[in-house]
Amino acid sequence: MGDKGTFWLPESGSTLSPGLDSLFYFTYWISVVIFVAVTVAVIVFAIKYRRRNDSDIPPIVHENKLLETAWIVVPTILVLIVFTWGFRSFLKLHSPPANAYEIQVTAKQWLWDYTYPNGKTSTGDLVVPVDRPVRLVMTSTDVLHSFFVPAFRVKQDVVPNRYSSVWFEATGQGEYHILCTEYCGTQHSGMLGSVIVQSAEDFDAWLQSGVEDMAPAEYGALLYTQQNCNVCHSVDGTRLVGPTLLGLFGRQTTFTDGTTAVADENYIMESIVNPMAKIVEGYPPGMPTIYSSFDSDQLNALVAFIKEQQ
Ligand code: CUA
């Protein structure tokens, strides 16, 4: 575990922490300086220029151009610095590296479930390798939750019927708290967990131990044939009734109404449960709506399967 944190910030455990912490302290110290300067000026001026008797009439004061320019320009520059810095951090927080290791997170009242690419599952404790970018693809089976790891400086709402994601790269082995930060019912405050950061070797050993479930992509492949998806969607690029799944994930797709979108997890889920929402250009709106009853395990599996068709 790295440092133990400060009065203001918890310990720092990810590559995202230093940049965000510097930004916090930059705004913090500017606020301290301005607060002290304004408070001292108010007190000094109140004493120095107080009305001493009833006939005390102050002289007429005209504006000081230099002073007025300074207090317009300096705060504007400070605000622009904070905006630029913050926006760059925001982009970094929302741009997972392409090689990030993906783990599915399912939130439910009142626990966190994790599914790894090989089918290994865990509850509460999220085990991740150190020094490797990890992307969490998260959804909820009931109400709104929010995934928060203070030490990693990441927090993201977890919403039913859609996917949201966060990424981080842990910088030190150890255990870090996971909190739910969206009020989700009576046991909300008990919806806790830990991120357990392990060395690459320990993580691999843990990953291979006691795998009971089918890998999500494997289950997806099974559904693909069992549910007859293969009748309309090929995985080898052949054109059938519907678009091929080959190379679908991450592809820029154009729809009959002229709009476009990059095929991500949410697009795939929407196309399965609400197939009339977006019709791919050049294809008929022929997909049946019977798949809206798929549960989150089935949808996660199909998304994982489609991601592999590259
Ligand atoms: Cu889940 Cu609060």
Side-chain angles (χ1 to χ4, degrees):
M1 279 216 204
D3 61 286
K4 283 284 156 214
T6 64
F7 178 76
W8 297 109
L9 291 170
E11 61 184 317
S12 151
S14 84
T15 53
L16 298 165
S17 313
L20 294 169
D21 293 4
S22 316
L23 176 57
F24 172 79
Y25 282 115
F26 179 76
T27 43
Y28 170 78
W29 281 113
I30 286 179
S31 307
V32 168
V33 168
I34 293 175
F35 173 76
V36 171
V38 169
T39 308
V40 169
V42 166
I43 294 169
V44 169
F45 290 174
I47 295 167
K48 189 171 173 194
Y49 300 110
R50 69 188 186 281
R51 196 173 195 197
R52 286 157 209 270
N53 55 54
D54 285 349
S55 60
D56 192 0
I57 295 171
I60 294 170
V61 178
H62 294 281
E63 77 272 19
N64 179 326
K65 292 260 164 33
L66 183 69
L67 198 61
E68 295 209 356
T69 310
W71 71 47
I72 291 169
V73 171
V74 173
T76 304
I77 291 173
L78 290 176
V79 167
L80 287 176
I81 290 173
V82 170
F83 171 77
T84 311
W85 195 340
F87 190 61
R88 289 171 67 108
S89 303
F90 176 84
L91 290 181
K92 195 176 168 191
L93 271 170
H94 290 269
S95 316
N99 62 345
Y101 183 76
E102 280 194 8
I103 302 171
Q104 288 171 4
V105 178
T106 306
K108 53 186 87 157
Q109 289 170 321
W110 286 275
L111 49 84
W112 302 99
D113 268 341
Y114 313 102
T115 305
Y116 294 76
N118 70 343
K120 173 92 175 174
T121 56
S122 70
T123 298
D125 290 345
L126 173 66
V127 182
V128 298
V130 72
D131 296 330
R132 182 165 172 194
V134 173
R135 177 170 181 252
L136 304 179
V137 180
M138 311 185 291
T139 190
S140 163
T141 59
D142 38 47
V143 298
L144 288 180
H145 301 273
S146 184
F147 183 88
F148 182 33
V149 184
F152 294 174
R153 314 288 190 264
V154 293
K155 175 151 77 171
Q156 176 63 52
D157 280 3
V158 182
V159 184
N161 300 320
R162 64 171 294 129
Y163 293 104
S164 55
S165 74
V166 286
W167 82 275
F168 56 80
E169 182 178 334
T171 51
Q173 292 179 41
E175 221 176 303
Y176 305 91
H177 295 298
I178 297 171
L179 311 172
C180 178
T181 49
E182 185 75 60
Y183 181 67
C184 55
T186 52
Q187 299 300 311
H188 156 71
S189 60
M191 191 168 164
L192 306 169
S194 292
V195 187
I196 298 172
V197 183
Q198 297 185 338
S199 67
E201 300 79 53
D202 288 353
F203 174 71
D204 281 337
W206 176 84
L207 196 59
Q208 301 310 329
S209 66
V211 182
E212 284 159 16
D213 297 319
M214 205 182 262
E218 220 177 303
Y219 181 34
L222 196 66
L223 290 170
Y224 170 71
T225 47
Q226 277 180 349
Q227 302 286 339
N228 297 326
C229 311
N230 56 352
V231 174
C232 299
H233 301 279
S234 75
V235 288
D236 61 1
T238 310
R239 187 190 165 110
L240 300 175
V241 177
T244 181
L245 303 182
L246 183 71
L248 171 63
F249 191 77
R251 185 162 67 197
Q252 177 91 15
T253 307
T254 307
F255 307 110
T256 45
D257 62 359
T259 58
T260 62
V262 172
D264 60 5
E265 289 95 351
N266 281 313
Y267 166 72
I268 291 172
M269 173 161 69
E270 183 188 57
S271 300
I272 296 169
V273 301
N274 183 14
M276 293 304 128
K278 295 188 176 75
I279 306 299
V280 177
E281 195 172 40
Y283 290 89
M287 176 140 160
T289 51
I290 52 173
Y291 304 111
S292 56
S293 59
F294 277 169
D295 65 22
S296 66
D297 279 347
Q298 291 171 309
L299 291 169
N300 290 345
L302 282 166
V303 169
F305 169 71
I306 290 171
K307 273 185 187 174
E308 287 200 342
Q309 309 308 314
Q310 296 295 332

